[in-house]
């Protein structure tokens, strides 16, 4: 089967090959390209926040440069259906659809992603992270409210400016969902659809949609509440509250407990079901240092139902203590979920793991930081991983940091990303310091060094801070930049079906002692390059042949290749 990886990367298309899979990079837009469709003579300066749908449709933000472009009008949103040309969706300074004349886009996609490469903040006092006037209990991470649905329709949150805009109505949610063109779906200052309340929306975060016009978003409500909202954006009064911070969490049997906050990344399935992570309080435990968390969905029975929560048995780890912490959730259209978390072993060692529901709704461990480093290198000391996303094939994207020495633990650790393939083996996709040829077949090699691929300039220091990602069957989207600070949006296709077994080095149709000898010759090599210096046994494509590769070889050592 084929899996795609979309990366917001530097410069132009790249072509590479790893053992057992061919990697092809297809550039969508890059620094220096002319922004065809933008007024005047404009060029892409930087790109950010790319997203992908199931058919390979892409959306991203770009900062433009050129005559007449300045800080008040240079931020833009672009989209491209698979195989089509880019189209301009929205531009800072343009009239906002559905708003009174003179009300314009002031900031697109949860603030200015290019201002000091920081995460956008909320409100005049800069205390929050959702879009809109600051409200208590609305500390959303708000990484990206830019989304493309299965029909190629775009949904986003923007700040507004104009003669009638003030601190109470300066943010709005816009969507193309339902085929009616870009329209205003909700705005701060409007009454939120919460039973028994007339409180207005005060902020928005994490908007998404599906083709029938259904939208999903998180919003601040009144002075002290937040909620998850979903419903039709093309019908009057079509949006309803799924859950608010005043609600009792289903499956939590603690008298007086209510939802206390919501993770900023809820998920809307193709059939309109809602999945999210939420925190809930325990009024009976005065010594609780923080609220507990769990995953909920509307897609597994009537109403809202619990998937898993802290203090339940740790999945797929026999005799482990209860799950202590749950974070970085991801969901797919089958409402299968993935998350990271940890528990304390019997020796009081913290074990951080990532789980995914793969065979139906059974959780499996897909990442364990107490296990070998999964192809990260021979000297790894600190390896901390967390979920980026899960696609409809239940393949998982993992992100983490790797340290090669005591001195590198913390800010010196290398950013790294893995994808779990059909064989279940997490394979290194990219890591800080990776050398990539970006010449795009021009004949003149142009090797660039990856300096990072996390959004908005966030330093990854080994503490889980989720990247801006989405992962469909068509690809993974994240931001990558090289040491020269150029950007682009590129699609990478990984073909995992090679028609054979990567451990069958002599191509005789089996994995036997002859292949073991070939593997042994290259074992412990750390200079592997699939194009210029290939190795027998670098199955995860991380540049060396180590115990992680040996584990895979042992799992397929047999005269029967059915499991390879």
């Amino acid at each position: 089967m084929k899996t795609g990886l979309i990366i917001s990367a530097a410069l132009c298309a790249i072509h590479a090959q790893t053992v057992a899979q061919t990697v092809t990079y297809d550039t969508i837009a890059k620094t220096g390209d002319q922004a065809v469709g933008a007024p005047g003579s404009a060029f892409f300066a930087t790109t950010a926040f790319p997203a992908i749908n199931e058919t390979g449709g892409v959306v991203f933000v770009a900062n433009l440069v050129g005559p007449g472009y300045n800080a008040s009008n240079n931020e833009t949103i672009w989209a491209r259906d698979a195989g089509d040309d880019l189209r301009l969706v929205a531009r800072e300074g343009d009239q906002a659809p559905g708003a009174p004349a003179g009300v314009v886009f002031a900031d697109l996609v949860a603030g200015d992603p290019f201002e000091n490469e920081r995460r956008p903040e909320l409100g005049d006092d800069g205390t929050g992270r959702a879009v809109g006037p600051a409200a208590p209990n609305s500390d959303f991470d708000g990484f990206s409210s830019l989304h493309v649905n299965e029909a190629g329709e775009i949904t986003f949150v923007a700040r507004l400016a104009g003669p009638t805009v003030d601190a109470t109505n300066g943010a709005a949610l816009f969507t193309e969902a339902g085929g009616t063109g870009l329209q205003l779906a909700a705005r701060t200052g409007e009454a939120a659809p919460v039973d028994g309340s007339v409180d207005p929306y005060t902020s928005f975060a994490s908007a998404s949609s599906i083709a029938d016009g259904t939208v999903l978003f998180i919003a601040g409500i009144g002075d002290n509440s937040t909620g998850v909202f979903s419903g039709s954006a093309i019908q009057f009064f079509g949006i309803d509250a799924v859950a608010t911070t005043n609600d009792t969490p289903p499956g939590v049997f603690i008298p007086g407990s209510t939802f206390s906050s919501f993770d900023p990344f809820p998920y809307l399935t193709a059939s309109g079901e809602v999945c999210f992570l939420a925190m809930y309080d325990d009024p009976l435990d005065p010594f609780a240092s923080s609220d507990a968390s769990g995953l909920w969905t509307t897609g597994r029975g009537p109403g809202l139902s619990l998937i898993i929560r802290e203090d339940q048995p740790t999945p797929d780890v026999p005799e482990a203590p209860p799950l202590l912490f749950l974070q970085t959730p991801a969901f797919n259209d089958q409402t299968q979920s993935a998350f990271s978390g940890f528990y304390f072993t019997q020796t009081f060692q913290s074990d951080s793991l990532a789980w995914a529901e793969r065979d139906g709704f059974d959780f499996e461990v897909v990442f364990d930081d107490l296990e070998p480093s999964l192809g990260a290198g021979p000297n790894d000391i600190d390896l901390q991983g967390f979920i980026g996303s899960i696609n409809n094939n239940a393949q998982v994207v993992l992100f983490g940091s790797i340290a090669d020495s005591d001195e590198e633990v913390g800010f010196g650790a290398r950013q790294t990303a893995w994808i779990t393939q059909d064989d279940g083996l997490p394979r290194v996709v990219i890591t800080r310091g990776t050398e990539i040829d970006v010449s795009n077949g021009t004949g003149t090699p142009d090797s660039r060094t990856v300096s990072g691929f996390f959004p908005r300039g966030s330093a990854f220091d080994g503490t889980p801070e989720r990247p801006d990602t989405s992962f469909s069957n068509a690809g993974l989207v994240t931001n990558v930049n090289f040491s020269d600070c150029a950007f682009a949006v590129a699609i990478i296709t990984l073909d995992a079906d090679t028609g054979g077994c990567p451990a069958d080095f002599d191509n005789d149709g089996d994995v036997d002692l002859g292949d073991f000898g070939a593997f042994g010759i290259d074992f412990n090599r750390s200079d592997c390059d699939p194009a210029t210096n290939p190795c027998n046994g670098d199955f995860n494509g991380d540049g060396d042949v180590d115990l992680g590769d040996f584990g895979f070889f042992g799992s397929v050592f047999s005269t029967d290749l059915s499991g390879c």
Side-chain angles (χ1 to χ4, degrees), residues 94 155 229 231 296 305 354 454 483 490:
D94 283 353
T155 301
F229 295 87
W296 282 266
S305 57
F454 284 72
S483 55

Side-chain angles (χ1 to χ4, degrees), residues 4-9 28 48-53 57-61 144 146-148 388-389 397 399 417 419 453-455 467-472 474-480 488-492:
L5 168 62
I6 289 193
I7 287 183
S8 179
I28 305 301
F49 315 149
I52 186 174
N53 64 14
V58 179
V59 63
F60 61 94
V61 175
S144 176
L146 184 62
H147 179 263
V148 54
S389 194
V397 178
F399 294 90
I419 294 179
F453 49 91
F454 284 72
D468 180 15
T469 65
S470 67
F471 185 39
S472 74
L476 164 72
V477 58
T478 189
N479 291 311
V480 175
V489 177
I491 298 176
I492 306 171

Side-chain angles (χ1 to χ4, degrees), residues 76 82 214 229-230 263 320 458:
T76 53
T214 300
F229 295 87
S230 185
D263 181 85
S458 58

Side-chain angles (χ1 to χ4, degrees), residues 224-244:
N224 297 298
S225 299
T226 59
V228 180
F229 295 87
S230 185
S232 175
I234 58 179
Q235 298 178 2
F236 286 109
F237 308 110
I239 296 174
D240 291 310
V242 178
T244 74

Side-chain angles (χ1 to χ4, degrees), residues 389-443:
S389 194
I390 181 172
N391 69 7
N392 286 337
N393 289 325
Q395 292 175 297
V396 175
V397 178
L398 304 162
F399 294 90
S401 64
I402 302 166
D404 294 322
S405 67
D406 288 322
E407 289 75 19
E408 289 188 357
V409 174
F411 285 101
R414 290 184 282 119
Q415 301 169 4
T416 304
W418 295 259
I419 294 179
T420 59
Q421 295 295 330
D422 289 340
D423 56 17
L425 179 68
R427 302 185 181 183
V428 172
V429 175
I430 191 169
T431 184
R432 194 184 69 199
T434 297
E435 295 288 332
I436 298 179
D437 182 6
V438 297
S439 60
N440 195 24
T442 60

Side-chain angles (χ1 to χ4, degrees), residues 279-280 291-294 308-312 323-326:
M279 306 291 289
Y280 58 93
D291 293 344
S293 61
I308 190 171
R309 64 179 175 87
E310 293 173 14
D311 298 324
Q312 289 185 329
L323 185 64
L324 184 63
F325 193 65
L326 189 157

Side-chain angles (χ1 to χ4, degrees), residues 68-75 91-94 104-107:
Y69 285 83
N70 53 52
S72 67
N73 63 13
N74 62 355
E75 191 176 50
R91 178 187 174 193
E92 188 180 14
D94 283 353
V104 300
F105 295 124
D107 258 335

